[in-house]
Amino acid sequence: MMTELHQNGQEEVRIGYFVCHCGTNIAAMIDVAAVAEYVSTLPNVVVSKDYRYMCSEAGQDLIVQDIKEHRLNRIVVAACSPLLHERTFRTATQRGGINPFFCHMVNIREHGSWVHEDRAEATEKAKALARGAIGRVKYHKALEKRREPVTPAALVVGGGIAGIQAALTLANTGKKVYLVERDPTIGGHMAKFDKTFPTLDCAACILTPKMSEVYAHPNIVLWTYSEVEGIEGYVGNYQVRVRRKARYIDEELCVGCLDCVDECVFKVGNVDDEFNVGLSKRKPVYMPFPQAVPKLVVIDPVACTHLNGGNCQKSCVDACERAAINFDQTDTIEEIKVGAVIVATGFKTFDPKRKPLYGYGKYPNVYTALEVERLVTSCGPTEGEVVCRDGRTPKKIGIVHCVGSRDHQTNRWCSRVCCMYSMKLAHLLHEHTGAEIYNFYIDIRAPGKGYEEFYERLQEEGNHFIRGRVAEITDIPKVAEEEGMLTIRVEDSLAGFVRRIPVDMVVLSTGLEPHADSQDVRRMFNISCSREGFFLERHPKLAPVSTTTDGVYLAGCCQGPKDIPDTVAQAGAAAAEALTLLDTGYVEMEPSVSVVDPIFCSGCKTCLNLCPYHAITRDDAKGVAVINPVLCKGCGVCVAACPSGAITQNLFEDREIFEEIEEVLAYA
């Protein structure tokens, strides 16, 4: 058999080729035995075998055994995506006693079996890919991973239940945590809920102790009314800039006594209360809600007469015995260093004004689900008394599911929680008012623990469930019983006819959407978004909380719609991933990075602006580009763009690529 000497001619190239059946994922469309037999005839191939599951322990042991028995120094594995199992086979190669980067993977599942319908053609393609891999692997070099120290602190962005859980999990292990929230208080959407499904536990009873624990925890630095403004660095060593917006209150002096609120020149609220979703008014100086954490007031610079240059007697200043109000306060910038980042920025609810046929904003008694959450809450704007805007207690209530979800005109995705919170509100509204409740649904989706049982409970309580998408909500009556009512027109798909149902109140179960600034956040943290706009995980099954940027993790509804139990579970998983990184104390950097040869570099700066990871700088003294191997992710953009050919990339050198191309196209 023909053989070659690799690199400096001191060692014979001995290649082992291992092709995987992957059950029937590959073997159903590719004749793997024929591929293995063909590869055995290629130059430098000493061993060529097929096995049902190469990624299994037995499959890996087969590679290790053959390396030792046949003195192999190159390994090619034809299986699934390298993204899935490249590390697996490199580890097996290393266990066999050779450098892990002498292992190369060929993706014959996604690039072969899954994209072809002709078995013979798919088999021929697998052979061509094998030739390319055999050709290129003999030029591989022994590479070593680098280790960089890790800053033992974490940043959690977002103070909802996901951010709170992640911060507490990390802080309880002894790690320092910075929790940054853009609103004046932590708690997020959950702080606005009355009860949680399916057990109807008090939301505040669950959440507020955790909020207090965050504030009191010695390992957590809590910055509310603050936003991350920029981030630089790399995994294990991120430098973060946080803008702390002016509260016009000295946080060290304020004790939350609310005297300043009481003595404000505005005796009644004049600004829509964000916490009560605009159902009540607040003053320019306010505390978001009584259980807010931290228990500090904040002055709204847009609403405050003095801060807007008006003539104000500043009675709030006189009322504060601790002299905590400071109208000269300005935004400040804090710079911190962290090893890991958990993004838990949450979601926003769908704006039902985008569905004008539902009448939101036109008819006073059409509410969103979040508004009704505040109405049924004892600390809400009506202290738990459910009344319509015209003062009536509703006798008939219609709840419209899937508003802004499962709709090709707005959002195609299911928001997961709408069915369940609609049924929760149906129960609470009936409990508060005794009203007759109508649920208009497309499909009831109740897949969680205890959810189906809750659905059955609602049916037993006498709730009406009408299957059909609501076409219109109108106040124009057609019969006497519709006078003074809102009429819901819907096709009852189970009964097979169009119904008109008059009600006093309509509740729109709005879906979950990404925040409007999610693209800005994505760019800041260099992560990706799915087509819906939610942040994209590295792998939906194997890495559901990791992102493509090492050291940045996801938790909660910023990754996709989910309920509170799933949010808390994902927050714990993100904290565990971050803790693994921080506890290790160092991070291993992949060696497949770009390298500049200063002899050929002309210093033209072409590569500087092209690098998406800002890994390239210019040494002005020498007039050449310099690549920081810690920041470089090996994307290869600079290699392709360099007009001088001065930049090369490990594992993707020209001779490796050209040899692979020539072998793949040898019989084209």
Side-chain angles (χ1 to χ4, degrees), residues 107-156:
N107 186 356
I108 61 170
R109 188 177 72 176
E110 283 83 346
H111 294 173
S113 176
W114 283 3
V115 294
H116 288 283
E117 296 180 353
D118 186 291
R119 182 176 172 84
E121 290 183 356
T123 300
E124 288 305 311
K125 183 176 182 179
K127 292 178 181 179
L129 292 173
R131 284 197 309 273
I134 297 300
R136 68 118 63 205
V137 77
K138 62 176 177 275
Y139 294 116
H140 279 209
K141 296 178 180 177
L143 302 174
E144 297 294 334
K145 291 184 178 181
R146 305 177 313 283
R147 287 185 175 182
E148 292 290 328
V150 169
T151 302
L155 167 68
V156 178

Side-chain angles (χ1 to χ4, degrees), residues 253-550:
L253 298 176
C254 180
V255 293
C257 66
L258 303 183
D259 287 348
C260 55
V261 179
D262 295 336
E263 296 300 323
C264 176
V265 294
F266 291 95
K267 298 307 176 186
V268 294
N270 65 330
V271 182
D272 283 344
D273 188 344
E274 300 89 348
F275 188 76
N276 281 324
V277 208
L279 294 176
S280 62
K281 299 288 187 178
R282 63 163 173 81
K283 297 180 180 181
V285 55
Y286 68 101
M287 185 179 291
F289 65 106
Q291 295 78 34
V293 174
K295 191 178 180 181
L296 300 170
V297 296
V298 60
I299 297 178
D300 183 348
V302 177
C304 177
T305 302
H306 174 72
L307 290 172
N308 278 287
N311 185 16
C312 177
Q313 59 184 336
K314 297 187 284 187
S315 55
C316 57
V317 176
D318 297 334
C320 184
E321 296 179 355
R322 299 177 65 85
I325 296 178
N326 178 10
F327 285 115
D328 296 325
Q329 197 176 75
T330 59
D331 293 1
T332 57
I333 300 295
E334 301 277 359
E335 295 195 358
I336 57 175
K337 291 185 178 182
V338 297
V341 177
I342 296 177
V343 180
T345 50
F347 65 94
K348 73 179 183 72
T349 54
F350 174 79
D351 181 2
K353 289 181 180 178
R354 291 167 57 188
K355 298 286 288 185
L357 290 175
Y358 289 168
Y360 182 76
K362 178 181 179 182
Y363 305 128
N365 293 333
V366 177
Y367 294 81
T368 66
L370 195 55
E371 288 172 340
V372 175
E373 288 276 4
R374 297 308 302 152
L375 286 180
V376 299
T377 305
S378 60
C379 61
T382 59
E383 297 182 347
E385 183 181 357
V386 178
V387 292
C388 297
R389 285 190 173 95
D390 56 13
R392 291 183 297 160
T393 299
K395 301 300 182 185
K396 288 186 176 183
I397 301 174
I399 301 177
V400 182
H401 294 216
C402 295
V403 178
S405 297
R406 302 181 66 194
D407 184 348
H408 284 249
Q409 295 177 343
T410 55
N411 300 324
R412 298 177 62 182
W413 60 87
C414 172
S415 292
R416 287 188 60 184
V417 296
C418 309
C419 286
M420 291 304 301
Y421 80 58
S422 298
M423 290 190 284
K424 177 193 75 174
L425 290 177
H427 172 83
L428 295 176
L429 285 169
H430 179 73
E431 187 177 69
H432 281 253
T433 66
E436 191 173 6
I437 311 292
Y438 295 85
N439 281 273
F440 302 92
Y441 70 98
I442 303 174
D443 299 295
I444 293 294
R445 297 186 170 182
K449 185 177 182 180
Y451 289 9
E452 184 67 22
E453 294 86 341
F454 189 76
Y455 174 33
E456 292 175 358
R457 174 181 175 180
L458 265 290
Q459 291 174 310
E460 292 169 0
E461 288 178 359
N463 280 265
H464 302 289
F465 286 88
I466 300 172
R467 188 178 187 273
R469 187 184 290 276
V470 171
E472 180 187 24
I473 296 170
T474 179
D475 65 349
I476 301 174
K478 283 194 173 183
V479 295
E481 67 174 336
E482 294 178 3
E483 289 285 350
M485 308 279 277
L486 292 171
T487 300
I488 299 174
R489 187 165 64 88
V490 60
E491 180 185 4
D492 189 330
S493 61
L494 296 180
F497 64 92
V498 176
R499 301 177 63 175
R500 290 175 62 89
I501 300 176
V503 296
D504 299 298
M505 173 188 282
V506 174
V507 181
L508 302 180
S509 297
T510 48
L512 278 54
E513 293 184 328
H515 277 298
D517 63 349
S518 62
Q519 291 298 322
D520 296 332
V521 176
R522 176 192 69 79
R523 283 187 284 270
M524 184 188 304
F525 291 102
N526 200 28
I527 56 182
S528 302
C529 283
S530 61
R531 64 179 181 177
E532 297 91 352
F534 293 105
F535 299 140
L536 188 64
E537 66 282 355
R538 176 173 291 179
H539 191 283
K541 298 178 181 65
L542 300 180
V545 298
S546 301
T547 67
T548 50
T549 297
D550 294 335

Side-chain angles (χ1 to χ4, degrees), residues 550-565:
D550 294 335
V552 178
Y553 307 98
L554 304 175
C557 290
C558 66
Q559 184 262 342
K562 54 182 64 69
D563 57 18
I564 292 171

Side-chain angles (χ1 to χ4, degrees), residues 619-632:
D619 186 334
D620 292 328
K622 298 180 180 179
V624 297
V626 178
I627 296 177
N628 184 339
V630 176
L631 296 178
C632 178

Side-chain angles (χ1 to χ4, degrees), residues 203-279:
C205 299
I206 300 170
L207 181 65
T208 51
K210 285 184 173 290
M211 294 166 60
S212 300
E213 187 179 353
V214 165
Y215 186 68
H217 206 294
N219 293 331
I220 296 178
V221 177
L222 175 61
W223 288 335
T224 56
Y225 209 44
S226 305
E227 294 190 53
V228 176
E229 198 167 73
I231 182 170
E232 298 176 348
Y234 50 91
V235 55
N237 292 275
Y238 287 113
Q239 293 84 44
V240 185
R241 294 189 310 279
V242 179
R243 176 174 294 274
R244 302 197 64 197
K245 293 179 283 187
R247 282 179 178 265
Y248 304 103
I249 298 291
D250 190 324
E251 295 186 18
E252 299 297 324
L253 298 176
C254 180
V255 293
C257 66
L258 303 183
D259 287 348
C260 55
V261 179
D262 295 336
E263 296 300 323
C264 176
V265 294
F266 291 95
K267 298 307 176 186
V268 294
N270 65 330
V271 182
D272 283 344
D273 188 344
E274 300 89 348
F275 188 76
N276 281 324
V277 208
L279 294 176

